[in-house]
Amino acid sequence: MIEAKGLSKLYGPFRALDKVSFQVKRGEVVGFLGPNGAGKSTTMRILTCFISATGGTAKVHGVDVFDDPLEVRRKIGYLPQRAPLYGEMTVWDYLQFTSDMRGLDPSTFKSRMKRIVEVCGLAKVLGKDIRQLSHGYRQRVGLGQALVHDPPILILDEPTSDLDPNEKAEVIRYIQEIGKDRTVLLSTHNLAEVEAACARAIIVSKGRVVADGPLSDIRAKSGTVRYLVTIHEQKLYEGSEAYRAGSTRRPPSSDEVSEALGALPGVQRVRELPTDDKAHAFELSGALGGDLREAIFQLVVQKGWLLLEMRRESQTLEDVFKALTRGDERADRGRPLLAEDDDAAAVGGAAAGAAALASAADEDEDEDEDEDEDEADEGDDDAAEENGGDDESDGDDENDDDGDDDDADDDAKGKKDGR
Amino acid sequence: MSATLTIAKRELRANFDSPVAYVVICLSLIALGFTFFYYEGGFWQANRASFEMLFVYLPRGLSWVVIPVLTMRLIAEERRAGTLEMLITLPVKDHQVVLGKFLGTWAVVLGLIASTLLFPVLMFKFWHLGTLDWGPIFAGYIGLVFYSAAAVSLGLLVSSLTESQIIAFFVTWLLLLALHISGMFMNRVDDPSLQQILAFISFDARLVSFSRGLVTTRDLLYFASIAAMSLMASFRALERRKWS
């Protein structure tokens, strides 16, 4: 239903999209994820024929967006970001206006309105001026106008932005309802919404697709599992053999626990977590197929430590998203344009992103902490960064098309770098 | 109804959904009445039944207040508010958007021009002030119809080049001011070719011919070609978003 092949968009030297390719099949509800400025809206504007791509092709319902934009627009219902509507019109008048623009006859419009009013919950506001409505109701009206011609494809650009949690939940419920019999491409940076409404997600970062697949596959892309282990900081388990034998009488230090956990076979990384309790809390990373809990338990028993908590959990979609899109907030859009022979690298961006995932998330958090420390110690550097004086790693990102490789290298150095 | 007419209808309604249009139209009619009847002696001191001055004051009032106010928001505001994206992603061609907006706004201006017909009709049909030569009146209104098309399309063009209504207002105002008063500078320049250019572009000089009952294809074509070129340029300005 929607097919994008190598879509690129340049705004002068600024590269908004970089050979984006994906497909959305009939009946799918697909989340189009990415941080602000990642290229989501640009992609949607190309698919809806509002702007033209600099390179690549896109087809909607089998129609090329460049060859026959009117036919494409007839097949889609589109809700742009923040639902821009004519505030001086009443809800009914606005929906009638979009119906007239789409060439629907009055009887068809009236019959469609029954369903739209029901699905979008517009019954109470049909006679009100749009400017008097809350953000939530405006989004509903925006959804209503996208549905007025009963399109087979819906493209929704951040339909829940600026909404309060209750309104967000309602809009997501409407999308779930609408998506039962339509193809929906839903752009957002709210991962909970994607988990609620979509079975598949496409993640874009810096104008490229970095992940594309079912949510379960994306979650598994990291290839790692997290373990949370909390050890009492001031007490030992007095019933342990080590305690009774007198070999251990002193509660463990943070370094001691970190070192011992890091030495366990299969542990890829150890990181201390901040706690309010009198405890040492650590996050461990292990391979997806393995289970370290038994080894951790044996270590704790052997050392005579008092175990307060141990938990094993897969990476969340949020972790994967953060890892894949890390560094997006930094200004690296001025990087050189891709040469023709970089095509393969660009198309394979998703694979490259996934390969670096396992370590990138952890490194990201470490980096944040390091930055905090740096800020505390060397506040003067802030001004330099604000003035464009990027640190060394930023500079690498700017000049390197595949910053994820750097992440992988950095992470390799930082492996088992417990604090 | 075609997309062009649907957009024109919406534009027409949008003008009357806010008090701006009512205020502008009422004040314009009051100001026109005052200047026509009392400014520098006005109609009563002329000692002849002539509406020539109506066709001088009315287009100036339109150009310096009404048309900049009505056209400033046409595309600039839509672009700023994001409604342009919503509009253009409906199944409509760019030229239909431009034409619809032009027709909707032109209709408001034509309505205002038509309302000034009350002056001669009331004075000479109902109050029987005397005999009036209706030829120059009709010719003057033909000139106003063509002039208003050119002025509205120029305002639309300026609005399509910016996101700021204020900038659109002042640029349109300056442009129309220059086109009206260029004829006044004709006798102050020595260069004959420049004199010809100033005379050629002057709105006032051409409207005077109409008000005296002279309808020439040259004047009609002048206003029509300004309108056509401005609409085409607006279309290009709108289309520019695709590649910018």
Side-chain angles (χ1 to χ4, degrees):
Chain A
M1 294 291 266
I2 301 175
E3 184 183 12
K5 274 187 190 170
L7 281 184
S8 298
K9 181 68 181 176
L10 304 175
Y11 294 105
F14 178 87
R15 181 170 37 182
L17 284 186
D18 191 358
K19 297 187 170 62
V20 166
S21 300
F22 62 86
Q23 275 191 334
V24 181
K25 291 176 187 161
R26 185 188 300 268
E28 276 190 309
V29 180
V30 175
F32 200 55
L33 292 167
N36 288 328
K40 304 186 298 293
S41 294
T42 303
T43 306
M44 293 192 154
R45 285 173 175 171
I46 291 171
L47 293 175
T48 54
C49 316
F50 183 66
I51 59 173
S52 297
T54 312
T57 59
K59 285 184 179 178
V60 175
H61 211 259
V63 182
D64 192 293
V65 295
F66 191 79
D67 291 344
D68 196 350
L70 282 192
E71 188 55 28
V72 169
R73 290 173 191 166
R74 282 190 194 104
K75 298 293 180 195
I76 58 170
Y78 176 46
L79 174 61
Q81 210 169 351
R82 292 182 184 167
L85 309 168
Y86 295 118
E88 75 277 3
M89 298 178 91
T90 64
V91 173
W92 179 273
D93 286 345
Y94 182 74
L95 294 174
Q96 192 162 38
F97 167 70
T98 53
S99 162
D100 290 343
M101 289 293 289
R102 294 190 175 277
L104 301 184
D105 59 63
S107 59
T108 310
F109 168 67
K110 280 181 185 166
S111 65
R112 293 266 166 80
M113 277 300 285
K114 285 179 191 165
R115 172 83 177 134
I116 289 168
V117 167
E118 184 187 325
V119 171
C120 299
L122 292 172
K124 289 180 186 170
V125 296
L126 279 175
K128 281 192 176 175
D129 282 357
I130 290 172
R131 65 183 151 215
Q132 295 174 338
L133 302 181
S134 66
H135 279 303
Y137 267 108
R138 285 185 199 195
Q139 294 286 14
R140 293 189 205 183
V141 177
L143 278 175
Q145 67 80 32
L147 291 168
V148 80
H149 56 302
D150 197 19
I153 300 168
L154 273 176
I155 297 179
L156 310 174
D157 192 359
E158 297 190 17
T160 56
S161 61
D162 298 335
L163 301 185
D164 68 38
N166 292 335
E167 289 174 330
K168 278 183 185 182
E170 277 190 24
V171 169
I172 288 300
R173 189 171 62 76
Y174 297 135
I175 292 169
Q176 287 170 328
E177 178 73 20
I178 292 161
K180 284 177 185 169
D181 49 2
R182 286 183 182 81
T183 301
V184 181
L185 185 61
L186 167 69
S187 151
T188 180
H189 41 70
N190 188 325
L191 302 166
E193 291 167 10
V194 173
E195 303 242 19
C198 310
R200 191 185 139 207
I202 298 166
I203 301 180
V204 287
S205 171
K206 302 173 192 172
R208 292 178 181 176
V209 174
V210 291
D212 180 358
L215 297 188
S216 53
D217 286 5
I218 290 180
R219 280 193 209 99
K221 264 185 187 296
S222 66
T224 61
V225 179
R226 288 197 309 180
Y227 300 85
L228 298 176
V229 179
T230 307
I231 307 285
H232 205 293
E233 189 179 308
Q234 293 174 344
K235 285 184 184 172
L236 291 165
Y237 175 49
E238 294 177 4
S240 70
E241 279 186 24
Y243 187 87
R244 279 182 294 186
S247 60
T248 303
R249 291 286 180 181
R250 188 174 52 80
S253 69
S254 166
D255 288 343
E256 194 182 338
V257 178
S258 171
E259 197 176 323
L261 289 171
L264 288 175
V267 174
Q268 295 175 350
R269 185 179 174 81
V270 178
R271 192 168 69 87
E272 187 173 4
L273 301 173
T275 55
D276 293 333
D277 304 321
K278 293 173 180 175
H280 301 301
F282 291 89
E283 183 190 81
L284 282 65
S285 297
L288 187 64
D291 190 344
L292 294 172
R293 285 176 295 186
E294 192 178 328
I296 293 168
F297 179 75
Q298 284 176 355
L299 173 72
V300 170
V301 170
Q302 182 199 334
K303 295 283 187 183
W305 296 336
L306 195 58
L307 182 66
L308 299 177
E309 182 188 14
M310 178 161 65
R311 196 166 75 237
R312 179 183 189 268
E313 56 186 32
S314 301
Q315 281 208 317
T316 62
L317 186 58
E318 188 173 341
D319 294 327
V320 180
F321 176 85
K322 280 165 72 178
L324 285 170
T325 59
R326 65 183 294 277
D328 226 28
E329 69 282 1
R330 294 179 185 168
D332 65 343
R333 293 309 187 81
R335 64 196 191 278
L337 302 180
L338 280 183
E340 284 304 311
D341 57 359
D342 282 335
D343 289 5
V347 173
L357 253 177
S359 52
D362 295 335
E363 198 223 340
D364 187 32
E365 290 172 21
D366 274 359
E367 199 173 61
D368 291 344
E369 287 169 15
D370 291 342
E371 280 173 4
D372 291 343
E373 286 174 9
D374 289 345
E375 278 173 22
D377 296 337
E378 300 174 274
D380 292 343
D381 288 346
D382 292 347
E385 284 188 19
E386 281 173 12
N387 291 327
D390 292 328
D391 59 20
E392 195 178 334
S393 63
D394 287 348
D396 287 345
D397 279 346
E398 279 188 19
N399 296 319
D400 192 334
D401 279 333
D402 194 352
D404 293 322
D405 290 344
D406 291 342
D407 303 341
D409 292 345
D410 291 346
D411 189 63
K413 288 175 199 165
K415 189 181 170 188
K416 297 189 178 181
D417 202 14
R419 287 175 42 167
Chain B
M1 193 186 294
S2 77
T4 305
L5 288 181
T6 305
I7 294 171
K9 189 177 144 194
R10 201 209 76 77
E11 284 301 325
L12 191 61
R13 281 194 57 177
N15 279 307
F16 292 100
D17 278 340
S18 76
V20 178
Y22 295 104
V23 171
V24 166
I25 289 171
C26 288
L27 289 180
S28 303
L29 285 174
I30 291 168
L32 179 68
F34 180 77
T35 50
F36 179 68
F37 288 111
Y38 298 109
Y39 183 64
E40 290 181 349
F43 175 80
W44 309 113
Q45 302 297 318
N47 284 329
R48 61 194 171 96
S50 167
F51 276 80
E52 199 176 319
M53 293 315 287
L54 181 80
F55 299 109
V56 172
Y57 297 138
L58 179 57
R60 285 184 183 174
L62 290 175
S63 287
W64 299 344
V65 182
V66 179
I67 290 173
V69 168
L70 293 180
T71 59
M72 66 182 185
R73 57 167 195 84
L74 281 178
I75 293 179
E77 174 61 11
E78 291 237 19
R79 188 175 273 140
R80 190 198 59 73
T83 47
L84 190 66
E85 184 175 355
M86 193 75 111
L87 178 62
I88 287 182
T89 50
L90 293 169
V92 60
K93 292 177 177 169
D94 286 2
H95 74 261
Q96 290 176 311
V97 172
V98 171
L99 265 181
K101 286 185 168 291
F102 166 74
L103 290 176
T105 310
W106 193 31
V108 178
V109 177
L110 288 179
L112 178 57
I113 290 171
S115 67
T116 64
L117 270 168
L118 286 172
F119 284 56
V121 170
L122 287 177
M123 289 162 71
F124 292 93
K125 288 283 182 191
F126 289 91
W127 297 333
H128 305 292
L129 290 180
T131 311
L132 180 69
D133 181 4
W134 286 92
I137 304 288
F138 289 128
Y141 277 102
I142 290 172
L144 284 179
V145 169
F146 277 78
Y147 141 80
S148 60
V152 168
S153 59
L154 276 172
L156 176 62
L157 170 60
V158 174
S159 181
S160 69
L161 296 172
T162 177
E163 279 190 19
S164 164
Q165 289 193 65
I166 302 295
I167 292 172
F169 174 85
F170 281 109
V171 173
T172 304
W173 183 80
L174 278 173
L175 197 60
L176 292 175
L177 177 73
L179 286 168
H180 274 283
I181 65 172
S182 63
M184 294 179 187
F185 296 97
M186 223 164 39
N187 299 325
R188 298 185 189 179
V189 294
D190 298 327
D191 187 354
S193 55
L194 190 57
Q195 276 183 351
Q196 277 187 333
I197 290 171
L198 289 173
F200 181 79
I201 64 171
S202 171
F203 276 11
D204 280 357
R206 291 178 185 276
L207 286 166
V208 165
S209 315
F210 285 106
S211 67
R212 290 175 182 163
L214 194 64
V215 179
T216 63
T217 47
R218 198 176 147 199
D219 293 333
L220 294 178
L221 271 178
Y222 172 72
F223 287 126
S225 54
I226 285 183
M229 283 191 295
S230 298
L231 291 177
M232 278 196 289
S234 304
F235 166 69
R236 287 289 170 204
L238 195 59
E239 210 182 34
R240 190 185 51 173
R241 79 183 186 279
K242 287 184 181 174
W243 309 105
S244 61

